[in-house]
Structure formats: C-alpha cells, structure tokens
Amino acid sequence: MGCDGGTIPKRHELVKGPRKVEKVDKNAELVAQWYYCTLSQEKLSRPIVACELGRLYNKDAVIEFLLDKSSDKVLLEAASHIKSIKNVMELNLSDNPAWTGDKGNTKGDKYADIQSARFICPVVGLEMNGRHRFCFLRNCGCVFSERALKEIKTETCHKCGVPFQDDDVIVLNGSKEDVEMLKKRMEERKLKSKLGKKSKKSKAVETIVKSEAAEDSQSPSQVNTAKDITQTGEKRSIAFCKSTVSEKAPSFSEKSIKGATEPVKRSSVASGEKSEAYKSIFTSHSSAKRSKEESSNWITHTAYYF
C-alpha cells in the first residue's frame, strides 16, 4: 500500500456540499457605521457631517480628502460622489446625558457598552447606536429618529422650526434600498440645478438678442434723426448755459465798455476841486505866507522866504 505514489485525501475533498459563508458580525458592523468616520476610519468627533446618501464623516477628513490633489489619491466608493464641501451637511446632534464615554475605561479593564451612544433623539429619547433608524433634515441638519418623524407629523423641524418636505428627509446608514432611493433623489436635484442654471443663461442671452434686434430694426434715417436730435439738444443746452452765465456775471470786456461809455464819479481831489483844508497843507497857501515885516533881511533865504 505504501510507496505507490498515492496521496492522503483531505477532509474537504471527502465531505461534499456547499461551504458555509462566514457571517459578518452585526455588532461590529453597527459600531463601524455609527461610531467611526466612513472616510478615515477614525472615531466620530464634532464637527460631524453627512452626505446625501446618509453616511457619517468627520468634517476634517472630508476637507483633507478634497484638498488632496495628488495622483496617489485613492478614490473610495464612500466618497466618490463628494466633489465639494457643499455636498455634505453639518449635523445638529443632541448629546446623550447618560453617556460617559471612555472616561471610566482608561485602563481597558471595563466592559464597553455598545448599546449606549453619544447622541440621542431630542423628541423621543432613543439612542443613536444603530438599533433604531435615524434621519437628518437636509435643510437644517437636525437629527431625529424615524419614529419621532412618523409619530409627530409636522412640516417644520422639531428643533429649529425650519420648514421641510418629505424629499428633504435623509436616512442615516440606511439599507441598500434606502441608498438607491437617495441616489435617485440626488441625481434629480443635480439635474434640476443644472436646468435652472441653463434657463437663467438662456434668459440673459434672449434679452441681449432682443436689444440688438431692436437696434437693428431701426432704419438708418431714424438713427440719423435721433443723432441729430441729440446733437441739437446738446447745442441748445450749451447755448442756454452760456446765456445764463452771461446774464449772471458780465464779462471783463463788457465792464471795460461800460466804463468807457459811462462817466465815472471821481473824488474831489482828482477832479481839481480842492478844499481849504487840503490847500493849507502846502506852503503856497495864503495862510503860510508872511508879511514884509515878518520876513528877514538875511541874504540866505530860508524856507519861509517867498
């Protein structure tokens, strides 16, 4: 029997039947979805954002992903639809007062309760640990449980009062069917925004074309008459301005002409009509002259000798 070149068969060769597929641990999957960032696989910490497909991210990780322009950048399926920071919404979460975090488990010898969560629904009080369906509103970012939105039906946000519609409600970490429905809504919104931009551009182009067509429809004679009217109007306005200026302030030439034609009143000194007080200043006045008796007989004449 030995040394004949045979081999010993293995167990899976003898036992026939389909292999058992290993099941993913649901608890581990829930922890990964609700406690860790989908992009960086780090613990969720504020500010926390969510995309239109309902996935949770750290805002810092999203910004780093968008700023990374290197060729070695790995495009993950979870972030392939994020093209700018506008594609994510910052969440307005409500803290759980019963959550202690990792403070009591510093040594690692304490059991970590998966059921307790950091955030809760502000209306019903359910913990956001993946056991219950949670949603957020795309208009304001407030997070509620699906039970609260169904039981208390309203058209405004329970927390901030912003109005919303059914299409604005996005399920967080939903099933495959939920993700497909959210993808369709996202594509529809993108198409509407593109059409809106195109319609605005087309309206602007139409107004420009209409204005050009109106100018072209006018005949050259009409255009010339319009130009003549504007030119004559400008000339008239200029003439009017000149007339008003001339009326208000006469020019230098007019003043000189008026001065030449009209007699100007002069003072009595310039006209020759001298008063007695003015004449007494000079030695030629009669009051300044001396009689012969007062005059001296000296040869040298003084200023008083006349």
Side-chain angles (χ1 to χ4, degrees), residues 39 60-76 79 82-83:
L39 189 61
D60 299 339
V62 175
I63 293 171
E64 290 177 2
F65 173 76
L66 294 173
L67 292 176
D68 188 8
K69 304 295 183 182
S70 61
S71 58
D72 299 335
K73 181 179 178 180
V74 179
L75 292 174
L76 301 175
I82 299 175
K83 305 299 181 182

Side-chain angles (χ1 to χ4, degrees), residues 69-280:
K69 304 295 183 182
S70 61
S71 58
D72 299 335
K73 181 179 178 180
V74 179
L75 292 174
L76 301 175
E77 294 182 0
S80 59
H81 60 285
I82 299 175
K83 305 299 181 182
S84 67
I85 198 66
K86 294 180 180 179
N87 298 136
V88 295
M89 182 72 187
E90 187 172 347
L91 299 180
N92 186 8
L93 298 162
S94 302
D95 294 326
N96 184 8
W99 187 74
T100 58
D102 298 334
K103 294 179 181 179
N105 194 17
T106 55
K107 297 180 180 179
D109 56 352
K110 189 177 180 181
Y111 173 71
D113 189 8
I114 302 174
Q115 300 297 327
S116 64
R118 183 178 177 182
F119 308 108
I120 60 171
C121 174
V123 179
V124 184
L126 295 175
E127 295 185 353
M128 200 174 78
N129 52 12
R131 303 290 177 180
H132 309 281
R133 288 168 64 88
F134 270 73
C135 310
F136 80 93
L137 304 180
R138 194 173 59 87
N139 296 340
C140 58
C142 295
V143 180
F144 304 98
S145 63
E146 193 177 36
R147 185 187 298 179
L149 295 176
K150 287 182 178 180
E151 291 180 357
I152 306 172
K153 293 183 179 180
T154 180
E155 295 180 355
T156 58
C157 177
H158 296 293
K159 197 169 183 178
C160 62
V162 174
F164 68 94
Q165 299 177 357
D166 294 336
D167 294 339
D168 298 326
V169 179
I170 297 176
V171 181
L172 290 171
N173 292 325
S175 60
K176 292 181 179 180
E177 295 176 357
D178 296 331
V179 173
E180 290 178 359
M181 182 182 66
L182 292 173
K183 277 184 180 179
K184 290 180 181 179
R185 289 182 183 177
M186 181 177 65
E187 291 174 358
E188 289 176 359
R189 280 193 289 267
K190 287 181 179 180
L191 288 173
K192 285 181 181 179
S193 63
K194 287 181 181 179
L195 292 173
K197 290 179 181 178
K198 287 181 180 179
S199 63
K200 288 180 181 179
K201 289 181 180 179
S202 62
K203 286 180 181 179
V205 172
E206 285 179 1
T207 53
I208 293 168
V209 171
K210 284 181 180 178
S211 61
E212 291 178 354
E215 291 177 358
D216 295 337
S217 62
Q218 292 180 354
S219 61
S221 61
Q222 291 177 352
V223 175
N224 293 328
T225 53
K227 288 182 179 179
D228 295 337
I229 289 167
T230 53
Q231 290 176 0
T232 53
E234 289 177 357
K235 288 179 181 178
R236 287 177 183 174
S237 63
I238 293 166
F240 178 73
C241 293
K242 286 183 178 179
S243 63
T244 53
V245 171
S246 63
E247 288 176 359
K248 289 182 180 179
S251 61
F252 178 74
S253 61
E254 291 178 355
K255 287 182 179 179
S256 60
I257 293 166
K258 287 182 180 179
T261 55
E262 296 179 359
V264 182
K265 294 181 179 180
R266 297 179 181 178
S267 62
S268 60
V269 177
S271 61
E273 297 178 0
K274 300 175 182 178
S275 62
E276 293 295 329
Y278 177 78
K279 291 177 182 179
S280 63

